[in-house]
Amino acid sequence: TAEALSPCSPRAQCQPTMGANTSSANVDTNASSSVVGGSAWRGREPLSIFTVLILTLLVLLTVATFLWNLLVLATILRVKAFHRVPHNLVASTAVSDVLVAALVMPLSLVKELSAGRRWRLGRELCLVWVCFDVLCCTASIWNVTAIALDRYWSITRQLQYTLLARRRISNVMIALTWLLSAAISLAPLLGWGETYSPEQERCQLSQDPSYTIVSTGGAFYLPLCVVLFVYWKIYKASKFHMGGRSRNAVVPLPEAAQVRLGKGREPALLPQALRSCFS
């Protein structure tokens, strides 16, 4: 009994040790729970006012893009007067923009809102997002280029560019636009570069140098050069036509010529080329 009650006995020595271990375990548990709670709290921090404003602006932009282009399509389909060139080119542009607003912009918004701009939606959605992004944006740019070419040919080749030829050429341009866009967008799916990295949770366009050169050249730089050249030619042709109209303008005769033609008559009007003969 004395041995059991002694503070130096084995049983008495075990009691403080067990209490110390228990208290240390409690401290570790509280510390770990506080760390987990702190990280969870940091993950649930409210968004700043600037982030909320940017998010609201992006959502409104997406909705406005979708509704506006959908209204353009509905107008072209319902009004029979718009069932001709160049409204089919405008309709093709509206289709590409509607697809951008419906399939590309929402997924881009989800990516921008994720922590570190990581892609957490899987490989399949990544491939769909990248494919439709390249397809629709490239088609939209080339549709604008086709509209510029149609305007140029309608101004410079008025006799040859009849309504029938214009309709055929516009349909060919629409088909080539979507075929070229599909070829550029589907190339990464066929093995030309990689778009998804599961380790880094990253989804982006193929970073292969050869694909980057071909895609940017075919989707941006080439149509940009065509549009700039075509609108410069349109400006030159319009300036030439305006100059010809000013030279052939009808102007009143000078007073001396009016006296020769007879007093009391109404002022005669002759082209500018004949005015010099009477002055």
Side-chain angles (χ1 to χ4, degrees):
T1 305
E3 186 182 39
L5 295 175
S6 175
C8 297
S9 62
R11 184 180 297 179
Q13 289 178 358
C14 293
Q15 297 298 327
T17 305
M18 292 175 62
N21 293 335
T22 305
S23 62
S24 62
N26 292 333
V27 172
D28 294 340
T29 304
N30 294 332
S32 61
S33 62
S34 64
V35 171
V36 173
S39 62
W41 175 256
R42 284 194 298 269
R44 297 177 182 177
E45 288 181 355
L47 298 176
S48 63
I49 298 178
F50 179 75
T51 305
V52 172
L53 290 177
I54 294 297
L55 177 61
T56 304
L57 179 62
L58 292 177
V59 171
L60 290 177
L61 181 62
T62 302
V63 174
T65 303
F66 179 79
L67 294 179
W68 182 262
N69 289 281
L70 200 63
L71 180 62
V72 171
L73 281 176
T75 303
I76 294 175
L77 292 176
R78 290 179 62 87
V79 180
K80 293 183 179 180
F82 291 160
H83 295 177
R84 63 178 187 272
V85 182
H87 294 91
N88 57 348
L89 297 172
V90 177
S92 178
T93 307
V95 168
S96 61
D97 293 339
V98 164
L99 292 177
V100 168
L103 300 175
V104 179
M105 297 177 72
L107 295 177
S108 301
L109 185 60
V110 173
K111 179 183 177 182
E112 292 295 330
L113 292 177
S114 63
R117 301 177 67 182
R118 295 181 180 180
W119 185 266
R120 306 179 187 273
L121 302 178
R123 180 182 180 85
E124 289 75 15
L125 274 180
C126 173
L127 296 179
V128 170
W129 176 64
V130 172
C131 180
F132 275 97
D133 187 10
V134 178
L135 172 67
C136 299
C137 294
T138 305
S140 180
I141 294 173
W142 275 107
N143 281 318
V144 174
T145 307
I147 292 174
L149 288 172
D150 177 74
R151 291 176 179 176
Y152 171 68
W153 288 329
S154 63
I155 292 175
T156 58
R157 302 179 182 180
Q158 297 179 358
L159 298 179
Q160 299 88 354
Y161 202 53
T162 60
L163 182 60
L164 180 60
R166 195 177 183 184
R167 182 178 293 109
R168 290 178 180 176
I169 292 176
S170 64
N171 292 331
V172 171
M173 288 192 297
I174 291 174
L176 291 177
T177 292
W178 287 98
L179 287 176
L180 177 61
S181 303
I184 295 176
S185 63
L186 294 176
L189 302 182
L190 301 177
W192 199 354
E194 184 62 37
T195 59
Y196 179 68
S197 176
E199 295 81 8
Q200 301 177 354
E201 293 184 339
R202 180 175 299 175
C203 180
Q204 59 184 1
L205 297 178
S206 175
Q207 300 300 309
D208 188 270
S210 57
Y211 177 77
T212 302
I213 294 174
V214 172
S215 60
T216 55
F220 180 74
Y221 291 107
L222 181 59
L224 175 64
C225 295
V226 173
V227 168
L228 292 178
F229 175 77
V230 165
Y231 276 109
W232 179 74
K233 296 291 289 184
I234 290 175
Y235 169 75
K236 297 290 289 184
S238 301
K239 189 176 180 180
F240 175 78
H241 285 301
M242 292 300 295
R245 289 183 179 181
S246 63
R247 286 192 300 268
N248 296 326
V250 177
V251 295
L253 288 172
E255 295 182 359
Q258 294 179 15
V259 171
R260 293 178 186 177
L261 291 176
K263 294 182 179 181
R265 296 181 181 179
E266 295 293 333
L269 299 177
L270 289 178
Q272 178 70 24
L274 299 178
R275 183 179 179 182
S276 60
C277 300
F278 295 95
S279 57

